[in-house]
Amino acid sequence: MHTLLQSKPTERAVFLSNHFETRASHGGGTEGYQGAVSFPIFQTSTYQAGGEFSYSRCQNPTRKELEHTVASLEEGAYGFAFSSGLAAVSSVFSLLKAGDHVLISDDLYGGTYRLIREIWSGFGIRFTFADLREPERAEGLIRRETRLIFAETPTNPMMKVLPLARLASLAGDRGILFAVDNTFLTPYFQKPLTLGADIVVHSGTKFLSGHHDTVCGFAVTSSEELAKKLGMIGRTLGNAAAPFDSWLALRGIQTLPLRMEKHASNAHAAAVYLESHPRVEQVFYPGLPSHPSFELMKKQATGAGGVLSFLLKDDGVEKVLNGGKLIRFAESLGGTTSLITYPQTQTHASVPKDVRERIGITPRLLRLSLGLEHIEDLLEDLEQMLSRK
Ligand SMILES: Cc1ncc(COP(=O)(O)O)c(C=O)c1O
């Protein structure tokens, strides 16, 4: 039996508290598993017939608890946990059919771009990439077949901030679905469903899990109709999160509020430092007053997050990337330790060069994800990295 109720937050989770911190630390609030306070890992593929669960591709208690938790944090009614962020994005695209059209932000995670180019375009779905910061201009790109507007905000890696409420009404007025990738801010800082989005997606690999030790993804909605379809898609494609990964994500989420505060304060301090560094041309961080969408950011989110990008004035990127003693040169973001990433050859390698350069992903662009280290150590490391030429 796979009823929708399996993905709906329990009453206990909903009424436990209105405070985000309490809901994060208590998770989905399911009780009754031998009194275990840490929610158990149900490492089973199948279940004796006749109970709530039948087969773990379809549902698993640990995954269900995680889905309740993430839905509750996003203030949505139904959550779905997937094997990766891209599995979540792909499941949202699975709501479409050949002939449908999608309007999507031009600056977005390179893997999402590859997913579109290599897979979904081949199935007859059409995509228009556009700068969605100006919904009035984006409006002209809407077609009769447009079924979905998909936005990341802040965008990866240029940290553009898109106006969520305005995009939601642009979509809503025309019966178009509006989906938002909320990976960079998490519901701790931004809740797109409360601003009119229909679906929120996440790379749960990043801040939500938060420890660089698992890969997973999420979709959350408040629409029963969309939930029925997303549930069917997950069960049918078989791309749901495994029990152990679900457990790691559940454990990570318990400390999400504390971590997000620290990630954001470290990112802010690093952004201020980099902005005054003689080797740095420009810093892209929406928590800085110099960011063109600083005011919008403050309006639709309660924090600017733990990621920034910056542009070097010279070509000496290699020594900077490899020079960190604490800050490691690696893909990904949102974990306990700081990472520096080179979008051109890592996260955005599959985006064609001309598109990359139009967006601003040039050979001098670096992305930094601030971890939980002491800020003095991070600034010292940045200082010595930037002294290498
Ligand atoms: C904004 C964003 N969305 C989606 C993804 C894909 O997530 P995953 O790597 O968990 O598949 C990423 C990965 O970096 C990302 O940064």
Side-chain angles (χ1 to χ4, degrees):
M1 187 178 66
H2 314 294
T3 62
L4 268 178
L5 285 175
Q6 286 182 29
S7 288
K8 199 165 182 177
T10 59
E11 287 200 343
R12 179 170 175 254
V14 170
F15 295 116
L16 184 65
S17 170
N18 287 328
H19 295 117
F20 190 95
E21 291 82 350
T22 309
R23 281 188 279 143
S25 60
H26 279 253
T30 310
E31 289 177 300
Y33 292 107
Q34 309 285 342
V37 171
S38 164
F39 198 88
I41 307 170
F42 283 81
Q43 194 65 43
T44 182
S45 60
T46 192
Y47 309 81
Q48 191 169 318
E52 180 186 344
F53 300 93
S54 64
Y55 190 62
S56 281
R57 168 161 44 74
C58 303
Q59 193 47 293
N60 171 281
T62 316
R63 188 165 79 233
K64 177 182 163 188
E65 176 72 359
L66 173 63
E67 291 176 340
H68 287 178
T69 304
V70 176
S72 149
L73 298 182
E74 283 288 2
E75 298 193 17
Y78 308 98
F80 300 90
F82 296 96
S83 56
S84 69
L86 275 186
V89 174
S90 203
S91 298
V92 170
F93 292 162
S94 302
L95 294 165
L96 307 171
K97 58 180 180 4
D100 286 350
H101 172 252
V102 181
L103 186 57
I104 187 160
S105 37
D106 55 0
D107 181 31
L108 83 170
Y109 170 55
T112 306
Y113 187 92
R114 186 178 58 220
L115 178 70
I116 290 167
R117 210 177 59 158
E118 301 294 333
I119 311 283
W120 289 100
S121 298
F123 292 157
I125 296 167
R126 303 278 165 252
F127 291 83
T128 301
F129 294 90
D131 186 340
L132 298 181
R133 281 176 298 181
E134 294 295 335
E136 289 73 21
R137 278 207 235 153
E139 193 177 353
L141 299 169
I142 289 177
R143 307 179 191 167
R144 211 161 21 95
E145 309 81 47
T146 307
R147 296 281 172 273
L148 175 67
I149 297 179
F150 188 99
E152 258 179 33
T153 182
T155 59
N156 182 0
M158 300 311 298
M159 307 303 293
K160 290 182 196 166
V161 178
L162 310 186
L164 288 174
R166 284 167 64 209
L167 286 168
S169 57
L170 179 75
D173 292 350
R174 292 160 183 78
I176 297 170
L177 288 178
F178 181 40
V180 178
D181 184 330
N182 200 26
T183 299
F184 271 34
L185 292 189
T186 81
Y188 182 67
F189 284 138
Q190 175 173 272
K191 297 185 184 67
L193 295 178
T194 67
L195 298 168
D198 299 295
I199 304 172
V200 169
V201 296
H202 277 280
S203 168
T205 315
K206 309 297 178 339
F207 291 105
L208 285 172
S209 298
H211 293 72
H212 299 311
D213 56 11
T214 183
V215 175
C216 63
F218 301 103
V220 179
T221 183
S222 288
S223 152
E224 185 173 342
E225 191 193 334
L226 287 174
K228 273 187 187 147
K229 290 183 185 164
L230 286 167
M232 179 279 294
I233 288 165
R235 291 193 297 278
T236 308
L237 289 179
N239 58 5
F244 185 52
D245 293 307
S246 298
W247 185 82
L248 284 170
L250 265 178
R251 187 173 66 161
I253 286 170
Q254 292 177 35
T255 54
L256 180 70
L258 291 168
R259 287 187 288 104
M260 289 312 288
E261 289 290 348
K262 181 74 171 164
H263 287 300
S265 73
N266 279 351
H268 187 269
V272 169
Y273 165 81
L274 288 168
E275 206 171 34
S276 64
H277 195 284
R279 268 187 88 186
V280 175
E281 174 92 42
Q282 199 178 347
V283 177
F284 306 91
Y285 182 65
L288 287 179
S290 58
H291 190 283
S293 303
F294 178 65
E295 291 303 326
L296 172 62
M297 183 81 218
K298 283 199 294 187
K299 219 171 112 191
Q300 68 183 23
T302 53
V307 181
L308 62 86
S309 293
F310 64 100
L311 203 55
L312 270 193
K313 280 186 183 155
D314 56 79
D315 292 328
V317 287
E318 207 177 318
K319 287 199 173 148
V320 176
L321 286 166
N322 289 300
K325 291 182 177 158
L326 286 171
I327 302 173
R328 282 194 262 184
F329 178 24
E331 296 206 35
S332 204
L333 57 100
T336 46
T337 54
S338 298
L339 302 180
I340 190 160
T341 301
Y342 193 37
Q344 174 173 272
T345 60
Q346 293 182 310
T347 51
H348 292 71
S350 46
V351 178
K353 189 165 177 272
D354 58 320
V355 179
R356 272 202 315 258
E357 287 186 351
R358 183 160 31 82
I359 296 166
I361 307 171
T362 64
R364 294 177 180 178
L365 185 82
L366 309 178
R367 194 187 73 193
L368 188 61
S369 168
L370 283 304
L372 306 180
E373 301 91 341
H374 196 287
I375 189 59
E376 283 175 11
D377 294 332
L378 289 174
L379 295 184
E380 201 176 296
D381 206 25
L382 280 174
E383 178 82 30
Q384 68 82 22
M385 286 160 80
L386 286 164
S387 70
R388 291 166 187 258
K389 281 200 179 174

